[in-house]
Amino acid sequence: MKQTVLFVDDEEELRNAGLQTLMLHDLPAEAFASAEDALARITRGFQGILVTDIRMPGRDGSWLMQQVLEIDPEFPVILVTGHGDVDLAVQSMREGAYDFIEKPFAPTRLISTIHHALEKRRLTIENRSLKREVGCRDKVESRLIGRSDAMVALRKNIRAIARTDADVLITGPTGAGKDLTARALHDMSDRAAHPFVHINCAALPVDLVEAELFGHEAGAFAGALRTRFGKFEYARQGSVFLDEIDSLPVSVQAKLLHAIQAREITRLGSNDPVALDIRIMAAVKTDLAEAVAAGTFRADLLYRLNVVTINVPALEERRDDIPSLFLNLAAQAAARYSRSMPDIGADVLARMATRSWPGNVRELRNAAERFVLGLDPVDIPAGAMDQATTLADAVAAHEKSLIVAALTAQDGRLKPTYESLGLSRKALYEKMQKYGINKQDVEP
């Protein structure tokens, strides 16, 4: 929808002259002789702006401005004043007017002011739209935050398979969010109302792995005083997440393979199989193909698990997400520690975006918690920015991160962004185009 300028003046000659000026500059406009007629056109979602004379018989421009700002406090209103009305116009700006123009004025002055006001209105409408979109996020997007291509692809894959019962192998570096991915798959599935059982295979006692997974009967071994369900039985109708499955002993992998294929287990000390209605998800910290070659992981188990494989990207692969992710993690930390959310400037966000995060999101979460607790992020042992192939690459990466951080800190608003960076509007647009930055991709 094109933005429209509503032009109000009770004098027909001035009204027609103003309308002609706007049309000559390709600005869609509507002219009104009274404040009431113009007010009838204005809604909170109206795409355009208002230009109105202050002095008019009956309802004047000041009254019209007050009514408009009651409908939408962010609506840009430009007042046209006579020489004697300057004080009134200044007072009106304190009350919310966008700007005022003193008669007689050059057409270029009017057009320039209108263009700036239209840009402000466009940004306001877009930001509202983005916030509505954020409010309507599904469980995947609210949990796996980020608008980088890698995260968009990850969420798309999760949505595609969540409602199926396909077993899933989740890969990715330590701390990237494999457990969050598994939980998102469960929460988006038809099994969401049933248990989600997270099993850290690396933490299971070696001599009790089978009992923990499959359960045991009373007297199955020393200390087994009563029958106990294993974690697989406990998860009936739900999901089992085998984290670091590559840590399981090869002897247990054979029994696990049978449980996954047959969807049944046999408790230690029993001969009666127990049917399972579960979904299996597994995560690995190593390359399973290499583990198979080394003889530490069964090839048949690998082929059974990787019906669907989902890769969770490292934080390095989605640096543009770091500023918004850091803000979100800081907000979570503030709520958890009952602290007020601290002000986080673009400089802090830029430093976060340019650091190396070998611990991925887990390490970034620790940084956010330290910041909320009043500790300077400089103290975080995060290292410097990753090595670039050339100095030019390093400078470009740093500049891009600064711009993304500033946009994030300013909720996507361009004017405060280029002012905080010491750039002109034109220079900011050029750099955003150069680095492929879309302000709509910056989460508010």
Side-chain angles (χ1 to χ4, degrees), residues 22 41 53 97 114-116 119 158 184 191 241 294 306 318 350 375 382 397 432 440:
L22 296 174
R41 283 284 286 119
D53 192 13
I114 287 175
H115 275 303
H116 285 106
E119 173 68 6
I158 289 174
R191 299 176 178 273
F241 175 47
N306 67 353
R318 54 186 188 109
L375 303 176
M432 289 174 65
Q440 292 180 345

Side-chain angles (χ1 to χ4, degrees), residues 143 165 182-199 229-242 276-281:
R143 182 167 290 166
D165 274 339
R183 288 182 182 276
L185 280 164
H186 174 75
D187 289 346
M188 290 288 289
S189 74
D190 295 333
R191 299 176 178 273
H194 301 285
F196 174 85
V197 178
H198 182 173
I199 304 173
F229 283 2
K231 295 185 182 299
F232 275 52
E233 272 190 88
Y234 178 74
R236 280 177 295 191
Q237 295 184 283
S239 304
V240 170
F241 175 47
L242 296 163
L276 298 177
D277 176 14
I278 59 175
R279 183 185 196 173
I280 300 292
M281 293 178 278

Side-chain angles (χ1 to χ4, degrees), residues 21 92 129 155 181 228 239 244 254 311 337 348 354 368 390 419:
T21 298
S92 296
S129 177
R155 292 194 295 265
T181 300
R228 180 177 182 274
S239 304
E244 296 193 23
N311 181 63
Y337 294 125
V348 174
T354 54
T390 66
E419 288 178 346

Side-chain angles (χ1 to χ4, degrees), residues 49-180:
I49 66 165
L50 173 67
V51 180
T52 180
D53 192 13
I54 286 187
R55 297 294 182 183
M56 294 186 294
R59 304 291 192 182
D60 63 10
S62 296
W63 175 86
L64 177 57
M65 182 193 76
Q66 292 170 3
Q67 300 304 308
V68 169
L69 294 182
E70 285 186 10
I71 296 172
D72 185 350
E74 296 181 286
F75 199 101
V77 178
I78 300 172
L79 299 173
V80 179
T81 72
H83 179 70
D85 296 325
V86 172
D87 289 343
L88 177 59
V90 171
Q91 178 61 31
S92 296
M93 288 195 65
R94 295 194 185 102
E95 295 173 357
Y98 176 76
D99 204 347
F100 72 91
I101 300 175
E102 186 178 357
K103 299 177 182 177
F105 53 80
T108 53
R109 166 84 167 93
L110 174 66
I111 297 303
S112 175
T113 304
I114 287 175
H115 275 303
H116 285 106
L118 287 172
E119 173 68 6
K120 178 180 184 295
R121 185 60 176 168
R122 184 180 68 81
L123 293 174
T124 298
I125 296 296
E126 286 184 1
N127 281 337
R128 287 176 182 171
S129 177
L130 285 173
K131 288 177 180 178
R132 284 195 298 271
E133 179 185 332
V134 169
C136 296
R137 285 177 176 166
D138 61 17
K139 293 178 181 178
V140 178
E141 192 163 1
S142 61
R143 182 167 290 166
L144 297 169
I145 298 169
R147 298 200 177 187
S148 61
D149 291 344
M151 290 305 292
V152 170
L154 174 61
R155 292 194 295 265
K156 179 181 178 181
N157 291 336
I158 289 174
R159 293 187 182 102
I161 65 170
R163 301 294 293 273
T164 74
D165 274 339
D167 294 331
V168 183
L169 180 64
I170 304 173
T171 63
T174 299
K178 296 189 291 295
D179 54 339
L180 287 179

Side-chain angles (χ1 to χ4, degrees), residues 124-433:
T124 298
I125 296 296
E126 286 184 1
N127 281 337
R128 287 176 182 171
S129 177
L130 285 173
K131 288 177 180 178
R132 284 195 298 271
E133 179 185 332
V134 169
C136 296
R137 285 177 176 166
D138 61 17
K139 293 178 181 178
V140 178
E141 192 163 1
S142 61
R143 182 167 290 166
L144 297 169
I145 298 169
R147 298 200 177 187
S148 61
D149 291 344
M151 290 305 292
V152 170
L154 174 61
R155 292 194 295 265
K156 179 181 178 181
N157 291 336
I158 289 174
R159 293 187 182 102
I161 65 170
R163 301 294 293 273
T164 74
D165 274 339
D167 294 331
V168 183
L169 180 64
I170 304 173
T171 63
T174 299
K178 296 189 291 295
D179 54 339
L180 287 179
T181 300
R183 288 182 182 276
L185 280 164
H186 174 75
D187 289 346
M188 290 288 289
S189 74
D190 295 333
R191 299 176 178 273
H194 301 285
F196 174 85
V197 178
H198 182 173
I199 304 173
N200 185 344
C201 297
L204 294 175
V206 176
D207 53 344
L208 294 177
V209 171
E210 291 185 46
E212 286 291 322
L213 296 182
F214 309 131
H216 60 78
E217 298 289 343
F221 53 85
L225 302 180
R226 61 181 63 88
T227 298
R228 180 177 182 274
F229 283 2
K231 295 185 182 299
F232 275 52
E233 272 190 88
Y234 178 74
R236 280 177 295 191
Q237 295 184 283
S239 304
V240 170
F241 175 47
L242 296 163
D243 198 4
E244 296 193 23
I245 192 174
D246 43 336
S247 300
L248 287 177
V250 175
S251 59
V252 177
Q253 292 176 26
K255 295 185 178 181
L256 176 60
L257 174 62
H258 172 76
I260 295 174
Q261 287 180 331
R263 284 303 196 265
E264 66 177 26
I265 55 95
T266 301
R267 301 187 197 123
L268 289 177
S270 172
N271 295 317
D272 300 322
V274 178
L276 298 177
D277 176 14
I278 59 175
R279 183 185 196 173
I280 300 292
M281 293 178 278
V284 295
K285 66 182 189 302
T286 58
D287 186 328
L288 284 188
E290 293 181 0
V292 168
T296 59
F297 200 84
R298 292 179 62 103
D300 47 3
L301 179 56
L302 168 60
Y303 301 140
R304 186 63 188 80
L305 287 171
N306 67 353
V307 175
V308 176
T309 300
I310 289 182
N311 181 63
V312 182
L315 202 53
E316 171 60 29
E317 297 176 52
R318 54 186 188 109
R319 279 194 177 276
D320 291 355
D321 289 337
I322 292 177
S324 58
L325 187 55
F326 185 80
L327 286 174
N328 186 274
L329 294 172
Q332 292 177 18
R336 185 162 54 253
Y337 294 125
S338 299
R339 296 288 187 94
S340 59
M341 179 68 173
D343 292 331
I344 303 178
D347 57 332
V348 174
L349 296 178
R351 288 158 66 192
M352 297 299 100
T354 54
R355 284 177 174 266
S356 175
W357 298 98
N360 294 289
V361 178
R362 185 177 300 153
E363 186 180 3
L364 186 66
R365 179 183 291 109
N366 293 341
E369 294 194 2
R370 289 170 60 89
F371 187 83
V372 167
L373 293 173
L375 303 176
D376 194 323
V378 170
D379 295 335
I380 304 168
M385 184 175 64
D386 284 353
Q387 292 293 324
T389 55
T390 66
L391 177 60
D393 290 337
V395 171
H398 184 67
E399 186 174 52
K400 179 180 179 181
S401 68
L402 288 173
I403 294 172
V404 171
L407 278 167
T408 302
Q410 300 296 341
D411 291 337
R413 294 172 296 165
L414 294 180
K415 184 176 181 181
T417 296
Y418 65 69
E419 288 178 346
S420 68
L421 293 172
L423 298 172
S424 66
R425 177 185 294 269
K426 182 173 182 290
L428 177 60
Y429 275 122
E430 289 176 347
K431 291 182 183 295
M432 289 174 65
Q433 185 176 17

